[in-house]
Amino acid sequence: MLDSTERISLDFQDAVREYFAFIENQYGFKCSSSDLYCVKYTSDKAYLHVYHERISFELYFVIGMLPESYNNPLKADTRDFIAMDNSADRVFLYQASKKEGVRAAVEKLAELVGTHAQDALSASLQFYEDNANSRTQRQEIALRIYQLNSADQQARIAWDNRDYKAVVELYTPYEPHLRPAQLKRLNISRKELTSS
């Protein structure tokens, strides 16, 4: 972990103020506070916080509607905006512990905000509701993939042990999402069960 003198030399605050100046000029935000780890902006209806994590050196932002609260679902973060941008760098984690890296990461974050966050910065309720629905869908898909991978591991073990009943029980709930090799194991297992 860097001491405060070394942190100052990273110029995080200056980079944020430079690259995010457009939110002050175009959207009426004002910088409400700034330190070595977070630069906060607010408008009449929304907020934007840009973070540089103390230990991990991760750089990211959160935009939300006021009032700012941990439980307020009307917010979006870097991952949400990357998911919206098909051309965006698919790196979900921007990390930098050198001045050049900090500037490059802050510039990328500002480009992401400038390209995709007009509605968020304008405090569009529809944007935040759509984003919450999108996030829920992404989480459900991720959970389904995790569950399918877990079922696949167990089904492979059952397949190797010729436990066709277990293979059928494990794969059937995921049948529409199975890959060809998994479908083949399922179909063979079904045939084995009906022939025995």
Side-chain angles (χ1 to χ4, degrees):
M1 189 160 71
L2 300 178
D3 65 27
S4 60
T5 305
E6 292 171 307
R7 270 289 185 166
I8 291 169
S9 72
L10 297 180
D11 281 342
F12 165 70
Q13 293 166 280
D14 291 340
V16 171
R17 294 302 302 269
E18 177 184 340
Y19 288 113
F20 282 87
F22 71 93
I23 71 167
E24 294 179 278
N25 302 329
Q26 295 173 21
Y27 296 96
F29 279 73
K30 300 287 182 224
C31 184
S32 56
S33 73
S34 178
D35 63 35
L36 298 175
Y37 308 102
C38 183
V39 178
K40 296 181 178 185
Y41 293 92
T42 56
S43 72
D44 292 341
K45 297 180 181 178
Y47 67 89
L48 169 86
H49 297 175
V50 183
Y51 295 94
H52 192 203
E53 286 292 326
R54 188 176 304 261
I55 296 173
S56 69
F57 294 97
E58 180 184 358
L59 290 117
Y60 62 96
F61 61 83
V62 176
I63 301 175
M65 285 184 63
L66 295 172
E68 182 186 345
S69 160
Y70 178 78
N71 294 326
N72 184 349
L74 302 176
K75 59 186 167 187
D77 63 22
T78 307
R79 287 181 293 253
D80 295 320
F81 288 97
I82 289 175
M84 292 175 204
D85 187 356
N86 294 330
S87 67
D89 181 355
R90 284 299 187 188
V91 176
F92 288 116
L93 197 62
Y94 294 105
Q95 287 181 298
S97 59
K98 302 254 188 282
K99 182 177 179 175
E100 304 78 32
V102 168
R103 290 191 66 75
V106 169
E107 182 179 19
K108 284 183 182 182
L109 293 175
E111 287 173 8
L112 201 56
V113 169
T115 304
H116 296 286
Q118 296 88 355
D119 291 338
L121 294 170
S122 299
S124 162
L125 183 59
Q126 187 64 52
F127 167 83
Y128 288 106
E129 289 172 347
D130 291 347
N131 181 65
N133 291 335
S134 243
R135 185 184 306 126
T136 299
Q137 288 174 348
R138 288 193 311 273
Q139 289 169 342
E140 288 171 356
I141 290 168
L143 177 61
R144 198 174 317 127
I145 290 169
Y146 172 80
Q147 291 170 332
L148 174 57
N149 288 339
S150 177
D152 184 49
Q153 289 175 351
Q154 294 172 26
R156 287 172 184 249
I157 293 167
W159 174 261
D160 290 342
N161 293 326
R162 298 176 188 245
D163 184 352
Y164 300 116
K165 182 180 177 195
V167 172
V168 170
E169 288 172 356
L170 289 161
Y171 276 148
T172 299
Y174 305 101
E175 190 166 0
H177 308 288
L178 295 177
R179 295 185 303 272
Q182 295 166 328
L183 273 172
K184 186 174 181 179
R185 280 194 290 274
L186 175 60
N187 291 330
I188 291 170
S189 296
R190 285 178 173 154
K191 287 179 186 173
E192 289 292 329
L193 286 176
T194 57
S195 67
S196 48

